[in-house]
Amino acid sequence: MNQVRSKARWAHQCRTDEGSAAIEAVIILPVLIMFLCLAIAGGRIVTSGSKIDSAAEDAAREASIHRTADSAQSAAHAAAAESLNDQGIRCSSTSVSVDTGGLSVPVGQVGTVTVTVECTVPLSDLLLPGVPGARTLTATASSVVDLYRMRGN
C-alpha cells in the first residue's frame, strides 16, 4: 500500500505544470526582445529619413537665395549640417551635393537649385543579429531661384 501511494505521488508530481512558466519565458523572451529591437531600428530609419528630407529642403532653400554658386555651395553645406544637428540626427558620415545650375539662368527665367543629402545612420548600437551596422539614407530637394533677383557671375 505504501508503495502504491509513493508511485501515485511520483506520477502526480511528474504531471504538474511547475517550472513550465520559466521554460516558456526562456523561449519567448529572446523573440520578444528581437521584435522590440526591430521596431526600434525601423522607427530610427523612418524618423531619420524624414529629418534628412527636412535638412535637404532647408539646404536647397538656403542655396537658392544666394547669388553665386560658391556662396550657395557653402550655405547649403552649413544649412544641412545645422538642420541635422538641430534635429538630433547622429550621422556617422554625411555628404551634401549641390547643383547650382539654376543660378546661371538669366534673370526672368526660372532656375532651380537641387541639393542631395546623404546620411549614414548607425544601427550597430541596437546589437540585433542580422541588422546591418548602418544604413545610408538619401534625400533630394529642389528650390526655385527667385525669378527677377539679380544673379552673380
Side-chain angles (χ1 to χ4, degrees), residues 132-152:
R135 177 92 187 249
T136 301
L137 303 174
T138 304
T140 301
S142 295
S143 183
V144 177
V145 177
D146 292 336
L147 192 63
Y148 294 106
R149 190 192 51 147
M150 188 171 114
R151 294 169 173 94

Side-chain angles (χ1 to χ4, degrees), residues 53-119:
D53 285 340
S54 177
E57 291 169 6
D58 292 345
R61 180 63 190 142
E62 187 66 31
S64 72
I65 61 175
H66 284 78
R67 294 180 184 200
T68 64
D70 290 338
S71 64
Q73 290 268 353
S74 61
H77 282 81
E82 183 179 349
S83 181
L84 291 172
N85 188 39
D86 288 348
Q87 296 183 63
I89 297 294
R90 190 174 45 115
C91 300
S92 54
S93 69
T94 305
S95 170
V96 179
S97 62
V98 185
D99 176 12
T100 58
L103 293 176
S104 61
V105 174
V107 173
Q109 293 182 6
V110 177
T112 59
V113 174
T114 304
V115 175
T116 302
V117 177
E118 278 189 10
C119 172

